[in-house]
Amino acid sequence: FAGMNLPPDFDMEPQLKDRVRFAHRRTADGADIYFVANKMNDPVRGACLFRVSGKRPELWRPETGRIEQTAAYSETNGCVRVQLRLEPTESVFVVFREKAPKNKAAVADKATPELKAVQEIAGPWDLRFPPNWGAPEKVTVEKLISWTEHADVGVKYFSGTAVYSKTITVPANLLRQDKPLYLDLGSVAVIAEVRLNGKDLGILWKRPFRVDVSAAAKAGDNALEVKVVNLWPNRLIRDSGLPEKDRLTWSTWNPYKSTDPLLPSGLLGPVRLMTAEQADIR
């Protein structure tokens, strides 16, 4: 292939080697679709080379269906060079289906902006639990900790859905059309659903636990609600050490013992507001 001057179908900068995987297919109408995935638990950033010519790349986000027409690319020697930043275990479809604009050189390799933390949401949170599942109806946590670290036994062994609520103050200068505002939950065990001022902002099931709150946020006080769901083992561990009449769960087979370690659960944080330059989105 080198003797034929044929570049690889997909290549990447050295810092991405052994960290990024890809798959490529071509549709009947001539579009090239690359699936690019970060297999690491930390972010990666760098340039990827796709053996495509004369077409501009689009980034298709599988979690939301959003399509971004990126300006961070250039073409040379029959390959398109695209700057990518992938969050931990994040993946993206890089799709080539439209001709590149003639004036592409003017915007080649524009840097992909970094997200910047602008405010940490600290202090107490109200935490509500459903009835009849062993936990109190409501507790206040002064800081974000795993439920397993709470002094109340009902909270410590709780499995299910609990709701965090808090009023957060958003400065007016963070609400700019050219800089979307994000809420980053930090670490979550294991799934979160976010509402801001009553607006459903979706479910977050993997890192980064981050959501765009630009359309829901307002200057001043904002009502934030985060539902968090954990896994069943903690409750099963607790029940395995209780008389059958006192157990809250029933299973045909419980592999856990009362001495087994508990799984981290809940909203662990840190929770922060973050900003970035506005992407070209359609």
Side-chain angles (χ1 to χ4, degrees), residues 206-220:
K206 69 174 190 65
R207 297 177 62 191
F209 293 93
R210 184 183 302 140
V211 64
D212 188 336
V213 298
S214 306
K218 62 182 180 179

Side-chain angles (χ1 to χ4, degrees), residues 40-53:
M40 310 302 293
N41 284 319
D42 48 40
V44 297
R45 178 174 179 171
C48 295
L49 294 172
F50 303 85
R51 195 172 64 200
V52 177
S53 61

Side-chain angles (χ1 to χ4, degrees), residues 24-273:
H24 173 209
R25 73 180 181 91
R26 181 170 295 163
T27 65
D29 58 0
D32 286 278
I33 302 174
Y34 288 81
F35 178 73
V36 183
N38 174 15
K39 67 178 184 178
M40 310 302 293
N41 284 319
D42 48 40
V44 297
R45 178 174 179 171
C48 295
L49 294 172
F50 303 85
R51 195 172 64 200
V52 177
S53 61
K55 298 177 183 177
R56 66 172 302 163
E58 298 172 337
L59 304 183
W60 291 28
R61 303 295 180 180
E63 298 93 344
T64 63
R66 188 175 67 180
I67 297 175
E68 303 173 12
Q69 288 193 344
T70 176
Y73 76 97
S74 60
E75 183 176 336
T76 181
N77 298 327
C79 291
V80 174
R81 183 177 186 269
V82 182
Q83 288 283 347
L84 290 180
R85 174 183 171 86
L86 295 174
E87 298 294 344
T89 67
E90 184 181 20
S91 58
V92 66
F93 290 96
V94 184
V95 180
F96 299 85
R97 58 174 182 163
E98 298 180 354
K99 291 183 178 180
K102 294 181 179 180
N103 61 347
K104 174 64 196 67
V107 292
D109 285 341
K110 177 182 176 183
T112 303
E114 297 279 356
L115 290 179
K116 177 183 178 182
V118 291
Q119 180 178 327
E120 183 168 350
I121 300 173
W125 293 75
D126 289 332
L127 180 55
R128 305 192 310 274
F129 295 92
N132 304 319
W133 275 108
E137 178 183 354
K138 180 180 177 182
V139 298
T140 299
V141 290
E142 295 301 320
K143 63 178 182 178
L144 294 175
I145 59 172
S146 172
W147 299 340
T148 59
E149 299 174 17
H150 200 277
D152 189 291
V153 173
V155 176
K156 181 175 182 177
Y157 292 99
F158 176 78
S159 290
T161 303
V163 183
Y164 292 81
S165 58
K166 184 179 182 63
T167 298
I168 64 173
T169 302
V170 177
N173 66 326
L174 295 184
L175 302 175
R176 294 173 47 183
Q177 290 185 351
D178 61 330
K179 287 189 176 182
L181 183 65
Y182 296 89
L183 177 71
D184 189 293
L185 300 181
S187 180
V188 175
V190 291
I191 298 176
E193 181 182 75
V194 179
R195 285 181 179 271
L196 187 65
N197 297 322
K199 184 177 178 61
D200 186 351
L201 299 178
I203 294 174
L204 305 174
W205 54 274
K206 69 174 190 65
R207 297 177 62 191
F209 293 93
R210 184 183 302 140
V211 64
D212 188 336
V213 298
S214 306
K218 62 182 180 179
D221 289 346
N222 292 254
L224 175 62
E225 183 178 278
V226 182
K227 291 183 180 180
V228 176
V229 182
N230 70 336
L231 301 176
W232 275 113
N234 291 354
R235 187 66 242 178
L236 293 174
I237 289 169
R238 173 63 173 167
D239 283 358
S240 66
L242 295 176
E244 188 171 338
K245 64 182 180 62
D246 295 330
R247 297 174 185 174
L248 299 181
T249 59
W250 179 89
S251 175
T252 56
W253 180 62
N254 183 355
Y256 299 100
K257 303 184 297 294
S258 61
T259 55
D260 285 343
L262 300 177
L263 301 181
S265 299
L267 177 59
L268 306 178
V271 179
R272 300 174 296 175
L273 292 176

